[in-house]
Amino acid sequence: MYIKSFEFNMFPVNTYVLWDDTKEAVIIDAGCYYEDEQKTLKKFIESNGLTVKHLLNTHLHLDHRFGNAFAVKEFGVKPEANAEDEFLLPKVKEYCKMFGIRLNEEIPPLGKYISDGDVINFGNSSLLAIHVPGHSPGSIAYYSEKDACAFCGDVLFRGSIGRSDLDGGNFNQLRNSISTRLFTLPDQTYIYTGHGEPTTIGNEKMNNPFFR
């Protein structure tokens, strides 16, 4: 499996494109708000001859789904996320107003719910959905055992954890989710985060101050 990351600038959010030799691909957390960011994502996918099969969200906070409408229009896929975060979609306009952000396009509805234990297939690759609530009720990590990596959105960061003071967040639930759902993965598992630099499970078990 091949991985390309983009850091888009509205809230410096990490967007990931995954694909394999079949050229089938998934997008995780389309955070492309600005037109030039959308063009960058489209150019990469087209220049590599990729066919987008899934538009996945780790969760539905506005910064991680800014580019969903664009991806729906350009690639013919619908957003997929956990049902427990769906309550956030009607609040996107309100949140945009709070941050002084103009919402350029209508908010696309979810096309499919992702539940704990679901397997998302593309080409010869697959991702296991792991429910890790606490940052948001429906936060999902996408784990590839074969490639020893996981995409966990805003649940776990290098040396930190996600916020738990937003709608539906819960600090104790977040710590417990990380301990029981992510820290049980092999130590060498590479963690691709929603913001900032990647890390590993082993590094966070040993050094993350929230678990000492």
Side-chain angles (χ1 to χ4, degrees), residues 38 42 46 68-77:
Q38 295 171 355
K42 181 180 179 181
E46 291 183 343
N68 277 4
F70 168 77
V72 168
K73 179 176 64 177
E74 291 294 332
F75 308 120
V77 289

Side-chain angles (χ1 to χ4, degrees), residues 98-114:
M98 286 171 54
F99 287 103
I101 300 167
R102 185 178 64 184
L103 188 63
N104 296 324
E105 298 178 286
E106 288 300 313
I107 302 158
L110 295 181
K112 183 179 179 181
Y113 295 131
I114 300 292

Side-chain angles (χ1 to χ4, degrees), residues 10-11 33 93-103:
M10 176 59 78
F11 285 92
Y33 175 84
K93 290 182 180 179
E94 173 189 339
Y95 295 147
C96 284
K97 189 176 295 185
M98 286 171 54
F99 287 103
I101 300 167
R102 185 178 64 184
L103 188 63

Side-chain angles (χ1 to χ4, degrees), residues 58-70:
T58 59
H59 62 297
L60 292 176
H61 288 152
L62 76 166
D63 51 332
H64 290 258
R65 48 138 323 275
F66 273 139
N68 277 4
F70 168 77

Side-chain angles (χ1 to χ4, degrees), residues 6 13 26 43 61 80 113 153 163 182 203:
F6 300 88
V13 62
V26 301
K43 181 179 178 181
H61 288 152
E80 303 176 32
Y113 295 131
R163 293 178 61 172
L182 296 184
N203 182 63

